[in-house]
Amino acid sequence: SQKIEQNSEALNIQEGKTATLTCNYTNYSPAYLQWYRQDPGRGPVFLLLIRENEKEKRKERLKVTFDTTLKQSLFHITASQPADSATYLCALSPSGTYKYIFGTGTRLKVLA
Amino acid sequence: GAGVSQSPSNKVTEKGKDVELRCDPISGHTALYWYRQSLGQGLEFLIYFQGNSAPDKSGLPSDRFSAERTGGSVSTLTIQRTQQEDSAVYLCASSYMGDGYTFGSGTRLTVV
């Protein structure tokens, strides 16, 4: 069956460290993969999009990798801050259309 | 508008009643999506509109759910004969082509 897996356990890290979140998928061949941030009571906010032919994408303190062989994307936040605390969702486009399927998200808590 | 607007923000309804949820996307965005999110869960895809193409209704959980998008802009999600399991946050998003989604703040539906 098709699955998108993100660590359901919360990730706690110390301020200033690099946070690394994982998104694994099975039985998909996505053309695009996106990462979103969601705060409690709010809709998700788009962060980054990476295409299947791109290995890495960066935006300020954020970095996303996309390994289509391992069927995995890693999301890194460098020099993390308490304001980065949120739930992070990965989403993939299974058919190359603009429709995305979302993972359940990983809650990140950055400790001051 | 500046963002995706959803109304109402909260809706409490009695089991068996019909409800209508409204989404006003960003002007010029060609695609519109409906998802729902149950407490502590990921986003569940419901329906996707792309331009003048027939909508992708593959995520609608039953024939009690329907949606329309008028004039390529405003969308209404209708749930008939609501059940308690329909209680969730209903999120609407829009995008321009393959760009990241912009989500609204959602409608919290409670069926009592």
Side-chain angles (χ1 to χ4, degrees), chain B residues 62-83:
Chain B
S62 78
D63 59 7
R64 295 186 295 106
F65 288 72
S66 63
E68 62 176 18
R69 187 180 185 192
T70 53
S73 181
V74 172
S75 177
T76 303
L77 176 69
T78 301
I79 309 173
Q80 295 179 309
R81 304 181 303 280
T82 51
Q83 304 294 313

Side-chain angles (χ1 to χ4, degrees), chain A residues 37-49:
Chain A
R37 168 186 174 136
Q38 187 173 26
D39 292 286
R42 310 295 296 271
V45 173
F46 171 71
L47 297 175
L48 280 165
L49 178 151

Side-chain angles (χ1 to χ4, degrees), chain A residues 26-67:
Chain A
T26 53
N27 293 324
Y28 284 112
S29 296
Y32 311 105
L33 191 145
Q34 298 183 3
W35 283 87
Y36 288 78
R37 168 186 174 136
Q38 187 173 26
D39 292 286
R42 310 295 296 271
V45 173
F46 171 71
L47 297 175
L48 280 165
L49 178 151
I50 188 165
R51 294 174 173 77
E52 61 179 337
N53 61 349
E54 298 175 318
K55 297 297 182 190
E56 183 180 295
K57 202 79 168 281
R58 291 176 186 259
K59 178 183 174 183
E60 298 171 354
R61 294 185 295 111
L62 309 180
K63 184 177 88 171
V64 171
T65 63
F66 191 9
D67 189 324

Side-chain angles (χ1 to χ4, degrees), chain A residues 3-7 11 19-26 28 30-36 47-52 54-58 62-77 88-93 100-101 103 105-106:
Chain A
K3 275 193 278 190
I4 304 171
E5 293 179 320
Q6 295 185 257
N7 194 338
L11 175 64
T20 299
L21 284 68
T22 304
C23 176
N24 294 301
Y25 56 91
T26 53
Y28 284 112
Y32 311 105
L33 191 145
Q34 298 183 3
W35 283 87
Y36 288 78
L47 297 175
L48 280 165
L49 178 151
I50 188 165
R51 294 174 173 77
E52 61 179 337
E54 298 175 318
K55 297 297 182 190
E56 183 180 295
K57 202 79 168 281
R58 291 176 186 259
L62 309 180
K63 184 177 88 171
V64 171
T65 63
F66 191 9
D67 189 324
T68 56
T69 301
L70 290 179
K71 295 188 180 295
Q72 179 181 80
S73 175
L74 299 179
F75 176 79
H76 307 271
I77 307 175
Y88 291 86
L89 306 168
C90 76
L92 55 83
S93 167
Y100 280 79
I101 306 301
T106 297

